[in-house]
Each structure stands twice: as C-alpha cells, then as structure tokens.
Amino acid sequence: MPKTTILDIYKKKAEGRKITMLTAYDFPTAQIVDQAGIDIILVGDSLGMVVQGVSSTLPVTMDEMIYHTKMVSRAAQSAMVVADLPFLSYQTHKAEAVLNSGRFLKEANAEAVKLEGGSQMADTIRAIVDAGIPVVAHIGLTPQYVHMLGGFKVQGRNEAAREKILADARAVQDAGAFSVVVEGVPASLGSEIHRELRIPTIGIGAGPDCDGQVLVIHDLLGLFERFTPKFVKKYVNLREHALKAVKEYKQDVEDGTFPSEEHSFK
Ligand code: KIV
C-alpha cells in the first residue's frame, strides 16, 4: 500500500469522499488503525488523558510525543502520521515551533504536525509550512486552552463566538494549513466552516457535514471510562472484555487450572 499523502487527502475532498482520522499512541494499536484503512493516524496529545492518566493535555512533553510518534510511524504502512505539537512547544517563538515540528519528521518519521489555535497561530503555521512541514490546524474547542475556556465546553454558541471561529478557520487556511480539525462546535457552524473553506475540515463534535471525522481511539474502543463526551460513539466496550479476561486468568491461576499440560513444555 503506498503512503497516504496530502494530495490523497485533497483528492478525497474533491471527490466528496469522507476522510478518516483516528488517534493511536503505540505500535499494535497503530497497526490495527492502519490495517483498517484509516487515512490519517493522529498521535494526539490526548495521550496525556487516555494513556498517562492526567486530567488535561497540558503536562505532555515534546519528548513523550516523539517517543509515541516513533512507535506509531513504525506501524503505519499506508496511513499518514500526524503528530500533535504539545502545550508550549510552539506558542513561545516561531523558531521553536519550526524546530519542534521538524523533530517529528526527522526523529519520529511523522508526515505532518497539528497545532491548536486560529488567527493567533497564523504566523506560526506559515513558518512551519515554509520549512516544508504540512500543518493540520485545530480550532473551536482547543483542549490546550482549557483554562481560558473555563473547561471542555462547546464553543461558538453565540454570534460573536461563531464569527471568531469562522475568522480562525479562514486565517489558518490562508496561513497554509492543509487541513483543519474543528472540535466541539454546533453542527450548523461545522457545516458553515466546511462550506466556506477550500481545505478539508475534519470534525470531532462538529456535526456530520465536515469532510472527515476524527475520534480518540480509547473512546471508540471503550477503554476510557472517566467521561464520555456526547460526540463519542463507543463501538465496543473493550475495557469490560479485558477486565473479564484478567479476572478469569486470576481465577485459573488461583484454582491451579492454568498453566495446564497444554501450556507446559515436555
Ligand atoms: O489530541 C487529540 O487526540 C486531538 C483530537 C481529539 C483531535 O487533538
């Protein structure tokens, strides 16, 4: 399978075919996502919450992101790998943003980076793109701004906020982002952004009209139990299956039924 490139992503939009994006943070999970034919694997800083067990994405570091992106890239035969720039790896100086974005390509074999923010990030996006690094922007509910937003809340509910998010969408497109994740906005606004932009829109809690969708894989597989946002569809409850399996193993060891002859060497 050839690797998915930004040209394939543009082509899908042009042909009206939906773009699929899903997170993964390690080799076996990325292999499943890749083999399922997902277009883009996002190594999201959501790993802070679903893998590291912290309560926001803010503590995640560049080195941790590089570590996880390396594992994912080794597994991705066809999916494009997009790595998330973590909090404070791109907000301070444009040069630092370019260097950290470049680390994902040089050290971890990613093919693009994602960063949060709209108009205020336009110059930074431009600088990263000028260095030859494709950028996915992320607008609407931006989890790295959780303390500014007063929590993980739906954005763009009033006219002024809608206008601001539309302006953000235009700004990141004009700055050269090849795609934009739109998170946590009313479906009507997701639809309006989709109609207004030339670049592909990838929604998460942004209604059905975006060019593509993204979810956190731990949500989709039922592996994250702390809370479930309204936009999540749980396709399986793997946590329940895993818990049952581990309990059975414990019982078997305690009963002496495992290991049996079948699992012993002659
Ligand atoms: O970090 C992440 O996984 C994300 C997605 C939720 C879009 O940013």
Side-chain angles (χ1 to χ4, degrees):
M1 261 306 246
K3 267 286 204 178
T4 301
T5 69
I6 61 171
L7 300 183
D8 299 309
I9 302 300
Y10 287 141
K11 188 159 180 264
K12 275 198 129 175
K13 176 176 169 69
E15 292 171 354
R17 290 186 292 140
K18 291 279 188 185
I19 298 155
T20 53
M21 184 193 260
L22 197 53
T23 68
Y25 316 101
D26 59 45
F27 183 87
T29 316
Q31 252 190 342
I32 292 169
V33 175
D34 188 65
Q35 286 169 14
I38 294 291
D39 298 309
I40 303 174
I41 303 180
L42 172 66
V43 189
D45 61 355
S46 50
L47 70 83
M49 297 171 82
V50 300
V51 176
Q52 297 176 335
V54 292
S55 61
S56 78
T57 57
L58 303 186
V60 177
T61 67
M62 247 332 272
D63 287 343
E64 287 165 351
M65 289 303 301
I66 292 279
Y67 173 76
H68 285 276
T69 305
K70 278 183 180 173
M71 290 187 254
V72 168
S73 295
R74 274 180 217 128
Q77 300 292 307
S78 67
M80 169 190 269
V81 175
V82 176
D84 232 354
L85 283 158
F87 182 56
L88 289 195
S89 68
Y90 60 99
Q91 291 93 339
T92 49
H93 306 288
K94 277 185 283 177
E96 192 175 24
V98 174
L99 285 171
N100 280 324
S101 300
R103 280 191 70 192
F104 280 125
L105 274 63
K106 278 174 87 90
E107 297 174 35
N109 229 4
E111 281 117 13
V113 299
K114 178 171 83 60
L115 60 77
E116 295 182 15
S119 316
Q120 79 277 33
M121 282 299 148
D123 288 345
T124 303
I125 292 172
R126 215 167 271 122
I128 299 170
V129 171
D130 283 349
I133 302 166
V135 174
V136 178
H138 184 160
I139 60 171
L141 168 48
T142 42
Q144 291 177 16
Y145 290 74
V146 59
H147 297 306
M148 290 295 288
L149 302 177
F152 299 109
K153 295 178 191 311
V154 175
Q155 301 297 302
R157 283 217 188 268
N158 62 49
E159 203 41 46
R162 276 180 86 92
E163 281 311 316
K164 165 81 176 79
I165 293 172
L166 271 167
D168 284 339
R170 289 184 210 107
V172 298
Q173 170 177 272
D174 294 347
F178 82 92
S179 178
V180 58
V181 167
V182 183
E183 176 167 356
V185 299
S188 61
L189 179 54
S191 185
E192 198 173 344
I193 296 170
H194 158 75
R195 286 195 309 274
E196 179 122 346
L197 296 193
R198 296 182 310 277
I199 59 172
T201 53
I202 305 200
I204 173 163
D209 292 336
C210 291
D211 299 295
Q213 290 295 312
V214 56
L215 276 184
V216 168
I217 193 157
H218 285 59
D219 288 335
L220 176 157
L221 296 179
L223 284 169
F224 183 67
E225 60 162 4
R226 240 187 299 149
F227 60 89
T228 306
K230 180 177 165 59
F231 56 75
V232 165
K233 179 169 173 184
K234 237 185 227 185
Y235 284 81
V236 60
N237 195 334
L238 270 195
R239 193 178 183 284
E240 236 167 51
H241 289 291
L243 187 60
K244 184 167 171 289
V246 173
K247 281 183 174 167
E248 278 175 25
Y249 161 76
K250 175 180 183 284
Q251 193 65 56
D252 284 357
V253 172
E254 288 173 352
D255 290 352
T257 52
F258 178 81
S260 64
E261 225 179 271
E262 183 195 345
H263 299 105
S264 304
F265 298 109
K266 291 230 186 297

